Every structure is written in C-alpha cells, then in structure tokens.
C-alpha cells in the first residue's frame, strides 16, 4: 500500500512487524539481522527492535546471528482456519478425488492478487516449490486463480489485471493483459481453467470453481500433474470429469452447510455474483 493511500488510522510499525514475519519462508527459514533489514527495507536498528520484540512475544527464536520463526506463529493463522469451515467440508472430497486420479488436489481462495492454499491432499511432489496450506502464488498464472478471476465482476477483474505484475515465470507464461482477458473469457465460458507449464516447467493443472449455496464463486479446486505423464488431452479427458464431479459433491454439501465467510476475512476479496454455469464441453 502506498503512503498516499494509507488511511489516518494506519499503523506503520504494525505493517513492518508483519513484513518481518513474512520474510521468513521455505527458502529462508533462518535470516540474519542484515537479511531482514534488507528484505523488509528497514534500517538495521528498526529490524533489530522488531525482531527482539517478536522474540520477547515468542514468535521468533534467536540462535547466535540467526533468527527463526517459532511454532507460535501458527496461532496467527489458526483463528482464521478455526472459524472457516470450508476446508473441513472439502477435505474428504479431495481425499476421494486423489484416490481416484492418483494426483494431487488443492482448494484455494483469492487473497488480494494471490491465491492461497487452504486445503491440500498430495500424492507425489511435482513442483520445485513445496506447497502447503498457506502457500501463495500470483492468481494470474494459476488455474485456480484464473477460475476465480474469471467469475469476478468485470470491473473487479480488470482492477486485478491492471495491478498485477505480469512476470514471465516460464517461456509459456501469459504476460499481457490482453492475452489474460481473452483467457479469462474462455475460462468463464467453458467453466474450468487449464494452465500448461506457465507457473513452472513440467507442471500442468486444471481447476474448477466452487460455488456456495447462493451461486457465488468462493474458491476453486485443482488437480496438478506432471506434463511428462499427462498430455493436455488426457487432462481434459481423464481428469476433468472427476474434478467436476468432486466440485459437484462439494457444492451439494455447501447447500446444506453454512461454510462461514466465503472470502478470506479482511482481505477485501469479494464473491462473484455470476449465475451458475454448466461447464462447456472441453475445447
């Protein structure tokens, strides 16, 4: 958020503290004071105060020059997951789907310009990056993200496209707003999205939207496969029918169970008000 866009109530020090927590990840589980200061664009003095405060609160452990997060940071996400029942409803369906297709499947929601994994059942590792609940990727380059973006109101989807930093993550990545607009129109028309090695070489995925009992798109479920084992034709022919059947089962459960908030609380993510569409035949 730019300085100009900040409201009078905005607490900059709180923003900096959260930035320090987020700078630790799977690739950087431990960081020095200098690493944190550089990554978060802080002075060494400010980074030191924030790290020591987090250590006093039990969220960071210091081992010599290195700082690491402690398991206590899981408390920050537990409150959300405890009150958000959609993953609990979806997980049995994902387990059944994975048993059928023997490929990994996940449930994702839109959070700002990213998709966030909120439930996952894995078989074998097919990506360089490790995916767990809480993993984030840019929405524009993932099948789940495109499914959700395609069902947003047009003006809202346009805001996402204008704001997104369209980087070529692979040679196949769509990196122009016009190309993505055309793809989102196709996804909306056919009712599902297929992404072929745009996020990572060798990774293909297919995703379908999940609608609540009011018909609003609240999430998306995907199946991710290795390109060497599954052609694009086989993804559509062999996997898509199972995916759509699974989503149908999830939506049936949602019609009789109140899943709680449909979007990640506090993220500004809105549900789509589009009417239910029957997926078109694979193109």
């Amino acid at each position: 958020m730019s300085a100009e866009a900040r409201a009078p109530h905005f607490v900059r020090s709180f923003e900096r503290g959260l930035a320090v927590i987020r700078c630790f990840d799977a690739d950087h589980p431990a960081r020095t004071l200098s690493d944190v200061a550089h990554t978060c664009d802080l002075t060494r003095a400010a980074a030191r105060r924030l790290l020591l405060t987090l250590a006093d609160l039990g969220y960071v452990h210091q081992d010599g020059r290195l700082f690491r997060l402690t398991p206590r940071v899981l408390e920050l996400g537990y409150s959300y997951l405890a009150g958000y029942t959609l993953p609990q409803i979806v997980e049995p369906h994902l387990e059944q789907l994975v048993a059928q297709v023997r490929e990994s499947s996940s449930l994702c929601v839109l959070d700002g310009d990213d998709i966030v994994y909120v439930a996952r059942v894995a078989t074998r590792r097919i990506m360089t990056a490790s995916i767990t609940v809480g993993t984030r990727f840019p929405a524009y380059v993932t099948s789940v993200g495109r499914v959700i973006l395609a069902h947003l109101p047009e003006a809202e989807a346009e805001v996402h496209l204008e704001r997104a930093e369209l980087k070529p993550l692979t040679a196949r990545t769509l990196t122009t707003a016009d190309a993505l607009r055309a793809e989102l129109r196709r996804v909306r028309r056919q009712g599902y999205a297929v992404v072929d090695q745009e996020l990572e070489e060798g990774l293909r995925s297919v995703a379908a939207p999940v609608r609540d009992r009011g018909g609003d798109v609240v999430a998306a479920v995907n199946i991710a496969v290795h390109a060497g084992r599954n052609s694009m034709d086989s993804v559509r022919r062999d996997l898509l029918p199972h995916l759509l059947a699974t989503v149908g089962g999830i939506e049936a459960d949602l019609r009789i169970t109140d899943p709680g908030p449909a979007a990640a609380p506090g993220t500004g993510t809105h549900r789509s008000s589009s009417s239910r569409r029957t997926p078109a035949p694979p193109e």
Side-chain angles (χ1 to χ4, degrees), residues 39-84:
T39 302
C40 299
D41 194 23
L42 298 170
T43 65
R44 283 177 55 88
R48 181 175 182 276
R49 289 196 300 272
L50 289 167
L51 285 167
L52 293 180
T53 298
L54 289 169
D56 289 345
L57 294 172
Y59 294 113
V60 167
H61 172 70
Q62 183 177 5
D63 181 12
R65 296 177 59 249
L66 294 177
F67 293 86
R68 300 175 184 270
L69 296 182
T70 72
R72 190 169 188 177
V73 298
L74 296 174
E75 295 176 356
L76 301 177
Y78 178 75
S79 297
Y80 165 68
L81 290 174
Y84 188 50

Side-chain angles (χ1 to χ4, degrees), residues 19-121:
V20 169
I21 292 175
R22 289 197 302 268
C23 81
F24 295 90
D25 54 28
D27 295 327
H28 306 90
R31 286 187 180 273
T32 65
L33 172 61
S34 297
D35 289 338
V36 172
H38 175 74
T39 302
C40 299
D41 194 23
L42 298 170
T43 65
R44 283 177 55 88
R48 181 175 182 276
R49 289 196 300 272
L50 289 167
L51 285 167
L52 293 180
T53 298
L54 289 169
D56 289 345
L57 294 172
Y59 294 113
V60 167
H61 172 70
Q62 183 177 5
D63 181 12
R65 296 177 59 249
L66 294 177
F67 293 86
R68 300 175 184 270
L69 296 182
T70 72
R72 190 169 188 177
V73 298
L74 296 174
E75 295 176 356
L76 301 177
Y78 178 75
S79 297
Y80 165 68
L81 290 174
Y84 188 50
T85 58
L86 181 57
Q88 300 167 25
I89 294 170
V90 168
E91 282 177 358
H93 294 277
L94 296 188
E95 290 171 358
Q96 184 177 18
L97 174 62
V98 169
Q100 290 172 337
V101 302
R102 301 184 182 277
E103 301 288 357
S104 300
S105 180
S106 305
L107 172 77
C108 300
V109 297
L110 185 66
D111 180 14
D113 295 323
D114 296 336
I115 55 96
V116 181
Y117 286 72
V118 295
R120 176 168 171 80
V121 176

